[in-house]
Amino acid sequence: DTGVSQNPRHKITKRGQNVTFRCDPISEHNRLYWYRQTLGQGPEFLTYFQNEAQLEKSRLLSDRFSAERPKGSFSTLEIQRTEQGDSAMYLCASSSILGQKTPLRGANVLTFGAGSRLTVL
Amino acid sequence: GQNIDQPTEMTATEGAIVQINCTYQTSGFNGLFWYQQHAGEAPTFLSYNVLDGLEEKGRFSSFLSRSKGYSYLLLKELQMKDSASYLCAVIDSNYQLIWGAGTKLIIKP
């Protein structure tokens, strides 16, 4: 397994266009997260899935954002009618809740992908 | 509200020791993570503390005091490759991960 894979790594688009990012998590991980990060800030939670079920979505997430994980494997994050304020790094992370395999008392350690950088002109 | 405070930037010398502090005010506590993030790269896991005390892992150690809402990451024998941002994140009572803004560590020769 090569870890969490995201593509595209970079996307430049004009305001008003739609963009879609893809995330392929670590195969044995059943949880998948999307975060957004801007320069000098920590990751901002967007949404997460357990298998194919979207269990939580940030209240900060507008209706222009939608995420899917149709077969419980890869996930897509779509942003419709992009705005300049959407420019950020979009990070995907995956984890397993099988705590018995971790020495960390069941802690949910996230493994991040390299991110997809979005620039909206 | 929930808040994680870390210094914005720190500078240290190669071979020295540096301590990066993190204080938190969250609704409940279920553990604290430290992640390292090199510029333009993904955060990578460094350490996890859920009980008070010091956890040592090679050149890196992390300390937690739950009563004080305080943690620190201690980096020894600093190397140039340690130049990165260090993110503190706390799991709250709802098992949400609350992230600090990160501390940018600059290592000088």
Side-chain angles (χ1 to χ4, degrees):
Chain A
D1 198 343
T2 56
V4 179
S5 175
Q6 292 188 245
N7 65 81
R9 292 293 310 277
H10 304 275
K11 178 71 175 178
I12 300 174
T13 190
K14 292 182 179 180
R15 188 177 55 184
Q17 297 297 305
N18 299 344
V19 297
T20 300
F21 302 116
R22 174 178 170 129
C23 172
D24 289 89
I26 293 173
S27 56
E28 60 265 29
H29 283 182
N30 53 6
R31 284 194 172 182
L32 186 149
Y33 301 77
W34 284 100
Y35 284 88
R36 176 169 61 190
Q37 188 177 28
T38 54
L39 195 63
Q41 298 298 316
E44 175 189 7
F45 171 77
L46 295 178
T47 187
Y48 92 93
F49 294 83
Q50 184 161 311
N51 301 313
E52 65 274 11
Q54 188 173 16
L55 295 188
E56 189 164 350
K57 186 175 177 180
S58 169
R59 287 170 293 184
L60 301 175
L61 210 60
S62 78
D63 291 341
R64 296 184 297 106
F65 288 70
S66 62
E68 293 182 344
R69 194 183 183 195
K71 297 181 180 179
S73 56
F74 75 91
S75 175
T76 57
L77 175 69
E78 181 182 18
I79 308 173
Q80 296 181 324
R81 305 181 303 280
T82 52
E83 302 173 355
Q84 288 184 327
D86 297 332
S87 295
M89 177 74 85
Y90 289 85
L91 294 167
C92 176
S94 69
S95 72
S96 172
I97 60 172
L98 299 177
Q100 66 270 23
K101 292 188 177 181
T102 172
L104 301 180
R105 305 175 192 89
N108 202 20
V109 178
L110 302 182
T111 301
F112 284 88
S116 294
R117 181 169 295 283
L118 173 64
T119 301
V120 182
L121 302 176
Chain B
Q2 312 217 78
N3 197 46
I4 309 282
D5 286 314
Q6 305 178 235
T8 303
E9 187 174 296
M10 298 181 71
T11 303
T13 305
E14 189 177 16
I17 298 173
V18 71
Q19 178 175 310
I20 302 174
N21 295 326
C22 170
T23 58
Y24 60 90
Q25 300 90 39
T26 56
S27 57
F29 177 85
N30 281 298
L32 183 146
F33 289 98
W34 283 97
Y35 277 78
Q36 179 190 59
Q37 186 175 26
H38 286 99
E41 298 183 12
T44 55
F45 169 75
L46 288 178
S47 68
Y48 172 72
N49 294 70
V50 68
L51 300 176
D52 290 350
L54 189 68
E55 297 271 350
E56 297 186 78
K57 190 187 296 185
R59 294 189 298 114
F60 292 8
S61 302
S62 57
F63 171 83
L64 175 68
S65 169
R66 288 171 296 171
S67 62
K68 295 181 180 178
Y70 167 69
S71 173
Y72 67 72
L73 181 69
L74 191 70
L75 292 76
K76 302 177 184 177
E77 301 168 17
L78 287 169
Q79 302 174 10
M80 297 303 293
K81 67 178 183 179
D82 297 330
S83 292
S85 287
Y86 292 86
L87 297 161
C88 174
V90 171
I91 307 171
D92 71 8
S93 58
N94 293 320
Y95 291 91
Q96 300 290 337
L97 196 57
I98 312 300
W99 293 85
T103 298
K104 182 178 181 180
L105 178 63
I106 299 168
I107 309 296
K108 294 185 175 179

